Amino acid sequence: ERSAPVIPRLATRGKLVLATALLFLAAGAFRGSPPLAALAGVVLAVLLALYLMFYPTAILLRRKKIELSWWVPPGDQPGGALAVDRPFRLHLAFRNHGSRRLRVLSTRVLAASGLVIEERPTATVSRGQQVEVTANVRPLAAGYRVLHGAALTFGEALGLFEIEAFFPNPIAVKIFPRTLALPGAAVRA
C-alpha cells in the first residue's frame, strides 16, 4: 500500500505572503507600475527559494531519518496501575538522524475515544540529537485503550512552510476502574 506523499505546503503565514505578492503583481499590472510588479516578483522569488531550502526536510522524512518513540511510565496507583480520571504522562522522544535541525510545530496523538490528550507538544531537535517531551493524557473510561500513532507537523524558522507526517506506533494501555476507598468500613457479604 502506498503512503501519502510527504510534500511541504504553505502554512498560514506563507499563504498570506503569497497573497500579498499576488496582490502587488495584480496592482502593478493594473496600474502599469513596473516597480510594484518587480516587488511582487522579488517576493515570489524569495518565497520559492525558501521553499527549496525547506524541501530537504521532506527528503529526511522519506528516508526515515526522523524517529518517534513513546512510552507510558507506571501510574501512581498500587502496582503502577492507570486509573480512570487520573491523568498520566505520555513521554515522547524525537530522534533526528538527519543533517539539519528540525522544528516540530505540533504533535497530534491519535488515540482511542476513551483517552483525552490535553496538549500538542512541540520541540526543536538538532541534528544527531534526541529530545524528550511529555503530554498529559486523561482516561475517561476503563478498559484497554490504544494510542495509535502521532501526526507530527514540521516547520521552518519563518513559519512559511510545513509538512505533516504520520508515525504509526500503536501502544495499548490498560485503564482500571476508579477505586472507592471507604476509610474504616468493613466489607460485608
Side-chain angles (χ1 to χ4, degrees):
E1 183 178 321
R2 289 183 71 185
S3 60
V6 181
I7 299 174
R9 64 177 182 252
L10 284 170
T12 303
R13 185 177 293 168
K15 291 174 184 175
L16 291 172
V17 170
L18 178 63
T20 303
L22 293 176
L23 185 64
F24 281 165
L25 185 62
F30 180 71
R31 303 283 276 164
S33 173
L36 200 53
L39 178 62
V42 168
V43 171
L44 290 172
V46 168
L47 194 62
L48 180 62
L50 290 171
Y51 178 82
L52 292 175
M53 287 174 54
F54 182 62
Y55 196 81
T57 303
I59 295 169
L60 291 176
L61 286 167
R62 283 191 205 109
R63 292 183 180 170
K64 308 214 184 302
K65 297 287 185 180
I66 300 158
E67 295 177 0
L68 166 73
S69 61
W70 55 1
W71 64 95
V72 175
D76 58 358
Q77 299 294 308
L82 303 172
V84 173
D85 292 334
R86 301 284 304 220
F88 62 89
R89 305 292 285 170
L90 173 65
H91 292 258
L92 298 109
F94 305 115
R95 284 184 204 91
N96 180 2
H97 298 289
S99 59
R100 60 185 328 163
R101 191 169 92 171
L102 296 172
R103 293 181 65 226
V104 180
L105 302 177
S106 169
T107 304
R108 185 171 44 96
V109 177
L110 306 172
S113 60
L115 298 173
V116 175
I117 291 84
E118 299 173 351
E119 63 226 49
R120 292 186 174 200
T122 63
T124 300
V125 188
S126 298
R127 61 185 183 159
Q129 299 294 316
Q130 173 177 312
V131 173
E132 293 182 18
V133 296
T134 60
N136 285 324
V137 180
R138 191 168 38 93
L140 301 176
Y144 278 103
R145 302 288 176 230
V146 178
L147 298 162
H148 299 284
L152 274 57
T153 303
F154 298 93
E156 42 81 43
L158 297 176
L160 299 173
F161 304 101
E162 60 187 24
I163 299 175
E164 187 173 56
F166 177 65
F167 289 81
N169 191 3
I171 58 172
V173 291
K174 185 172 183 177
I175 308 298
F176 288 92
R178 199 173 327 167
T179 57
L180 298 176
L182 302 174
V187 177
R188 294 184 193 187

